[in-house]
Amino acid sequence: MARTAGSHSEITGPRVLQAALTLFARHGFAAVSMRQIAAEVGVQAGALYNYTPDKQTLLFDLMRTHMEGLLEAWEAEKSDGDATERLRRFTRFHITYHLERPDEVFISYMELRNLTPENFREIEALRRKYETELEKILRDGLAEGVFNVPDPRVVTMAVIAMVTGVTTWYRTAGRLSVEAVQDIYWQMVQRAVSA
Amino acid sequence: MARTAGSHSEITGPRVLQAALTLFARHGFAAVSMRQIAAEVGVQAGALYNYTPDKQTLLFDLMRTHMEGLLEAWEAEKSDGDATERLRRFTRFHITYHLERPDEVFISYMELRNLTPENFREIEALRRKYETELEKILRDGLAEGVFNVPDPRVVTMAVIAMVTGVTTWYRTAGRLSVEAVQDIYWQMVQRAVSA
DNA sequence: GTCTATAAAAAGATAGAC
DNA sequence: GTCTATCTTTTTATAGAC
């Protein structure tokens, strides 16, 4: 569509973030220019600076929003059952949430290097907070005697790496439903930690 | 040291690759300039083109060399025992090999997007070949009745994601030896797939 | 709020002297 | 084989008209 000058603040703002998200995920932060983002939105490059002070802030906002959304969603989802039930819920939640947001997940893992040191620390703190949620479940299950994990911190990292890995190969058009994938991973997680 | 013009072909060539490896791993392919690589080597930017036709080839050569080295090392390491022993060996090999080459592993996972389509296909074929080594072990163990995996392909991806994940958190100066890490991961892998 | 135009810096790659 | 110099393009970001 042919575009002319005008005010579209409420529409353009989210579209800038969406375009940045898609392009950063596909080509990488450093490989994407502000002109490419502008072209995707349908404005000129200069207009982007009405919505972000610079390119770095665009990346940081995307990552912070993702991590905060993840933590909020988990807070809403987690329950008070026994450790096994909590672990089952974490595993299934993690898979669903990540499969539904492939671009956000991708940049949040791949573009950490491109954050300024201050921004990096803030994102890392959020990630650490999320990891600690799983670690607490493992430690509680250990105390209850239902889990047998030699090193809760290491097992936390191993489980998160495993379940996050679905995002690298899962395709919606493939042969498996999300539920089938959740079942397979839950079986592995459960066996890996059970006493 | 002050440098002057001269011939150093056999020395400079490997140094260019080493500098590119280190810088790509630290900052990302797209974020590193040929001038930065040259500065790290201690030559001028123009001199790099005696060793590579372009920046893309530099990345591709690093990734191909890594993947070929991984496959060769596994060929030398793998054994003919039963499926459990082969899986144990794969797990321990994978962890050691990857922990010894953090930079190579990092770019081989993170910079796939920055390969040209032809180069990408070649690297993907090598990666797929490596994954198939694990998948064969799982299928053999399934046939032998010693493993219980609902979906060998999915379990392959899950196990590889889990063990590769050590590279994101392991630090040589940390509290755990490589052997201790291997033990923890092997216990988890074994339990996750055992009948 | 968006445009056009541009500043200022940096990029990949090449030419030719030594 | 390396240097200096340069071509050409592209980059982030800003200024000012509308």
Side-chain angles (χ1 to χ4, degrees):
Chain A
M1 65 178 179
R3 296 198 74 271
T4 54
S7 292
H8 303 281
S9 175
E10 286 154 29
I11 293 182
T12 306
R15 272 165 57 75
V16 169
L17 284 170
Q18 179 59 51
L21 173 65
T22 305
L23 290 170
F24 290 168
R26 188 139 59 216
H27 307 291
F29 172 77
V32 172
S33 70
M34 294 297 269
R35 280 172 181 79
Q36 281 177 274
I37 298 170
E40 182 83 8
V41 174
V43 297
Q44 293 300 311
L48 296 180
Y49 293 88
N50 290 312
Y51 302 97
T52 182
D54 50 34
K55 195 182 166 192
Q56 166 71 204
T57 304
L58 222 39
L59 176 63
F60 176 61
D61 285 346
L62 288 171
M63 292 176 73
R64 187 172 40 73
T65 301
H66 172 64
M67 291 307 299
E68 288 174 350
L70 173 67
L71 283 163
E72 280 171 32
W74 171 241
E75 283 301 318
E77 178 76 13
K78 73 182 190 184
S79 67
D80 286 335
D82 59 30
T84 301
E85 168 58 16
R86 286 159 64 205
L87 181 60
R88 191 188 71 89
R89 204 177 270 243
F90 181 91
T91 301
R92 301 182 79 89
F93 163 80
H94 186 95
I95 290 172
T96 303
Y97 197 87
H98 282 63
L99 283 184
E100 284 171 351
R101 293 160 185 82
D103 288 346
E104 286 89 338
V105 169
F106 203 66
I107 69 161
S108 293
Y109 279 83
M110 306 284 260
E111 302 298 350
L112 289 165
R113 294 176 298 192
N114 287 306
L115 291 172
T116 61
E118 316 91 88
N119 288 345
F120 176 79
R121 274 192 293 275
E122 186 163 337
I123 299 298
E124 271 300 290
L126 292 170
R127 177 191 312 284
R128 173 61 79 124
K129 192 174 172 190
Y130 182 67
E131 291 166 358
T132 303
E133 290 291 310
L134 172 57
E135 193 175 340
K136 270 189 286 199
I137 295 173
L138 294 177
R139 289 188 187 280
D140 289 347
L142 195 57
E144 293 172 17
V146 295
F147 295 163
N148 175 12
V149 291
D151 190 310
R153 182 72 198 152
V154 173
V155 175
T156 295
M157 299 308 286
V159 169
I160 286 191
M162 185 170 78
V163 293
T164 302
V166 290
T167 58
T168 66
W169 61 265
Y170 185 81
R171 297 293 171 265
T172 307
R175 63 187 167 86
L176 294 169
S177 68
V178 175
E179 288 72 25
V181 173
Q182 287 176 318
D183 289 343
I184 295 169
Y185 276 80
W186 167 234
Q187 186 189 78
M188 283 189 285
V189 170
Q190 187 176 19
R191 289 172 167 187
V193 307
S194 287
Chain B
M1 65 176 180
R3 295 196 78 270
T4 54
S7 292
H8 302 281
S9 174
E10 286 154 29
I11 293 182
T12 305
R15 272 165 58 74
V16 169
L17 284 170
Q18 180 59 52
L21 173 66
T22 305
L23 289 169
F24 289 167
R26 188 139 59 218
H27 307 292
F29 172 76
V32 172
S33 70
M34 294 297 271
R35 281 171 179 80
Q36 280 177 272
I37 297 170
E40 182 83 9
V41 174
V43 297
Q44 293 300 311
L48 296 180
Y49 293 88
N50 290 313
Y51 302 97
T52 181
D54 50 35
K55 196 182 166 192
Q56 166 71 205
T57 304
L58 221 39
L59 176 63
F60 176 61
D61 285 346
L62 288 171
M63 292 176 73
R64 187 173 40 72
T65 301
H66 172 64
M67 292 307 300
E68 288 174 351
L70 173 66
L71 282 163
E72 280 171 33
W74 171 241
E75 282 301 319
E77 178 75 14
K78 73 181 190 183
S79 67
D80 286 335
D82 59 31
T84 301
E85 168 58 17
R86 286 161 63 206
L87 181 60
R88 191 188 71 90
R89 202 176 272 243
F90 181 91
T91 302
R92 301 182 79 89
F93 163 79
H94 186 95
I95 290 172
T96 303
Y97 197 87
H98 282 62
L99 283 183
E100 284 172 351
R101 293 161 184 80
D103 288 345
E104 286 89 337
V105 169
F106 204 66
I107 69 161
S108 293
Y109 278 83
M110 305 284 260
E111 302 298 351
L112 289 165
R113 296 176 296 191
N114 287 307
L115 291 172
T116 61
E118 316 91 86
N119 288 345
F120 176 79
R121 273 192 293 276
E122 186 163 338
I123 299 299
E124 271 300 290
L126 293 171
R127 177 191 311 286
R128 174 61 78 122
K129 191 174 172 190
Y130 182 68
E131 290 166 358
T132 303
E133 290 291 310
L134 172 57
E135 193 175 340
K136 271 190 287 200
I137 295 172
L138 294 177
R139 290 188 187 281
D140 289 348
L142 195 57
E144 292 172 18
V146 295
F147 295 162
N148 174 13
V149 291
D151 190 309
R153 181 73 198 151
V154 173
V155 175
T156 295
M157 298 308 286
V159 168
I160 286 191
M162 185 170 78
V163 293
T164 302
V166 290
T167 58
T168 66
W169 61 265
Y170 185 79
R171 297 294 171 266
T172 308
R175 63 186 167 87
L176 294 168
S177 67
V178 175
E179 289 72 26
V181 173
Q182 287 176 320
D183 290 342
I184 295 168
Y185 276 80
W186 168 234
Q187 186 189 76
M188 283 189 285
V189 169
Q190 186 177 21
R191 289 170 165 190
V193 307
S194 288

